[in-house]
Amino acid sequence: MRRRTLVGVLLAAAAVPSVAACQSENGTGAAAGTGAGPSASPSATPPSFTVTPAAAAVDVRPDAPVTVAVADGKLTDVTVTAPDGTPVPGALDAAGTTWSSQAPLTVATAYTVHAVAAGSSGASATHDSTLTTLTPGATAFPAVAPLSGREVGVGMPVIVTFDSPVAKDRRRVVEQNLHVTVTPAPVAGSWSWQSDSKVEYRPEQYWPAHSQVHVDIDLGAVEVAPGVWGKTRDIDFTIGSAMVSTVDIAAHTLTVTRDGQVVKTIPVTLGQSGSGGKFVTRSGTKVIMSLEASRQMNSETTGIGQNDPNYYNVNVKYALRVTNSGEFLHAAPWSASSQGRANVSHGCTGMSTEDAKWMYDNSKVGDVVVYTGSDRGIEPGNGFTVWNETYQQWQQGSALSA
C-alpha cells in the first residue's frame, strides 16, 4: 500500500513540468489558442477594386460609363487615359469609394485605368488595367452647311445631312449632342427634323448681324441607328451684314435693306399669270442659296419641252438662286421694258444687267428675300424655307419637344 502511494506521488511530481510548459508568460494559466487571454493583432486588409468594364475588356461601347469602386478603403487617385495622354473626365462620389466617368469615350481607342486607394487600417493598393472601345462597322457622316470659315447672311440655317438614316428613336440623343453657340451674345434656337437623314437649325429670329457661330457635332460616341455610329465635327462661320430684301410682286419692285437701312430699290419683273398659274412667283420668305456669275437656263429641266411655246434655253448673268424649283434673281435685259411695269417672266425675278450685277456683288448665301403679293405660297423644303413657320411651329419638329 505504501508502495502504491509513493508511486502516485512520484507520478504527480513528474506531471508538474508539463503543466507549467502550457502556461502563458504572464502566468495566468490560460492555454494558448483558447481565446481566454489577449489575442494577436489581426493582419491589415488591403483595399480591393471593382472596375467596369473589366480589365482587358474589348469592343467596349464608347457610351458605356467607366466606374472604379473600392472596398475596405477610399480612392485617392483615379485616371482613365487615352493613348495621347488625354484624361477622361470623371468624379468621385461623396463617400470617396466610387469614381465614374463623365464623358463618352472615343471609338477604336485603347484606354489605361489607374487607381490608388488607401485602406482604413493603413494598408494601400494600386490597380492598373486597360480597356479598348469598339471599332464601328458602319458610320453616318454629317455633311454640314454652311461650310466652316464662310460668311453668310442672317437667314442661313444650319443644315446637317447624314449619309445614313438616323433611327427615329435615336433622334433625341442625336439632338442632345448637336450644340450651337453664338457670340458675342447667345440666342434662342431649335433643331427641326426634315427627314430621317436631315436636321436643320434656326434661331428664333434672324441671326444677329456680325456675330460668330460655332456648331459642335459631338456624335462620335452616339449610335444613330443599330450598329451605325456618328462622327464628330466642329464648324465655325460668321454672320455678315443683315441684307434683307422685299419683293412686291404686284408693284414690281425689289427693295434692299442693309442693317435696317434702305440701300437700293430696283424695278423688276416677276412670273406671268396664265398657263394655269404655273409661272406665278411664289410668295414667302426665301433665302439666297447660291450665287452664279452666269447660268444656262433650259426650260426642259422644269418639264417644258422644245415644242412648247414657253420653251427657253438661255444663258443668264448674275443668277441668285432662291428655290430648288428654279426661281432666281438674275439679269434679264430682254424684258427691260416690262421691269417695274409688268410681270412677264417664267417665275424668276428679272432686272437690268446693271442692277443684277449690283445684287451679285453685294449679296451672300443666307441673305433673306421676302416675296409678297401673290396667292401662290412657297412649299416647305423648296429651298431654305425655315422662316415660313413660326418659331413655335418650327420647334414641333424637334425630337426634344416631346
Side-chain angles (χ1 to χ4, degrees):
M1 186 173 184
R2 288 185 62 194
R3 178 181 176 87
R4 287 199 295 269
T5 302
L6 178 61
V7 171
V9 171
L10 292 172
L11 289 173
V16 170
S18 64
V19 171
C22 292
Q23 290 179 335
S24 64
E25 293 180 358
N26 60 12
T28 62
T34 65
S39 61
S41 298
S43 61
T45 302
S48 60
F49 297 91
T50 301
V51 179
T52 306
V58 296
D59 292 331
V60 174
R61 290 176 61 97
D63 55 357
V66 179
T67 61
V68 179
V70 67
D72 299 316
K74 290 191 175 183
L75 293 166
T76 59
D77 182 38
V78 178
T79 56
V80 178
T81 312
D84 63 358
T86 302
V88 176
L92 280 172
D93 65 357
T97 59
T98 302
W99 180 95
S100 302
S101 61
Q102 295 183 318
L105 306 178
T106 301
V107 297
T109 303
Y111 289 86
T112 59
V113 180
H114 175 73
V116 180
S120 56
S121 60
S124 63
T126 301
H127 169 90
D128 290 283
S129 63
T130 62
L131 63 91
T132 304
T133 53
L134 61 80
T135 299
T139 58
F141 181 81
V144 183
L147 297 176
S148 199
R150 295 294 179 88
E151 181 183 80
V152 297
V154 296
M156 181 68 198
V158 178
I159 304 170
V160 179
T161 305
F162 297 93
D163 63 2
S164 181
V166 174
K168 191 170 184 178
D169 63 355
R170 302 301 293 167
R171 290 182 180 181
R172 183 177 183 86
V173 68
V174 167
E175 266 191 67
Q176 289 172 334
N177 287 275
L178 301 176
H179 309 288
V180 178
T181 305
V182 182
T183 53
V187 298
S190 174
W191 294 94
S192 183
W193 290 87
Q194 306 302 301
S195 71
D196 61 2
S197 60
K198 181 188 289 187
V199 61
E200 299 184 6
Y201 181 96
R202 55 156 277 195
E204 183 174 5
Q205 305 296 330
Y206 296 145
W207 298 104
H210 313 290
S211 59
Q212 305 293 320
V213 181
H214 175 74
V215 183
D216 177 15
I217 300 176
D218 192 13
L219 298 177
V222 176
E223 191 176 27
V224 303
V228 182
W229 295 79
K231 292 277 192 177
T232 297
R233 298 190 66 192
D234 288 285
I235 304 295
D236 292 279
F237 60 91
T238 300
I239 306 299
S241 60
M243 288 280 286
V244 179
S245 301
T246 301
V247 176
D248 187 327
I249 296 172
H252 325 293
T253 58
L254 164 63
T255 303
V256 184
T257 66
R258 181 187 292 123
D259 294 331
Q261 301 297 315
V262 175
V263 293
K264 195 172 184 66
T265 300
I266 299 172
V268 294
T269 182
L270 288 306
Q272 59 189 275
S273 59
S275 299
K278 64 181 179 180
F279 298 128
V280 172
T281 303
R282 298 165 175 83
S283 287
T285 302
K286 305 170 189 178
V287 177
I288 294 176
M289 305 169 64
S290 66
L291 294 84
E292 303 175 48
S294 66
R295 180 179 179 85
Q296 192 69 29
M297 291 189 174
N298 188 332
S299 65
E300 290 182 303
T301 62
T302 63
I304 301 174
Q306 295 185 25
N307 295 325
D308 191 302
N310 289 299
Y311 170 78
Y312 57 87
N313 188 355
V314 61
N315 185 271
V316 301
K317 301 296 184 183
Y318 310 117
L320 285 60
R321 179 186 283 273
V322 290
T323 72
N324 292 328
S325 60
E327 288 187 15
F328 290 78
L329 293 83
H330 64 78
W334 54 86
S335 64
S337 61
S338 298
Q339 293 164 13
R341 298 180 178 84
N343 293 327
V344 298
S345 80
H346 292 92
C348 288
T349 305
M351 63 195 76
S352 70
T353 301
E354 179 183 4
D355 287 334
K357 185 177 187 305
W358 186 93
M359 286 294 295
Y360 178 85
D361 290 340
N362 288 274
S363 299
K364 53 193 173 295
V365 170
D367 285 348
V368 177
V369 186
V370 181
Y371 285 76
T372 64
S374 81
D375 295 330
R376 185 185 187 189
I378 184 73
E379 305 87 352
N382 188 7
F384 300 159
T385 58
V386 302
W387 304 104
N388 293 284
E389 300 178 47
T390 66
Y391 185 59
Q392 289 70 32
Q393 290 172 329
W394 178 257
Q395 287 179 301
Q396 292 175 12
S398 168
L400 302 179
S401 65

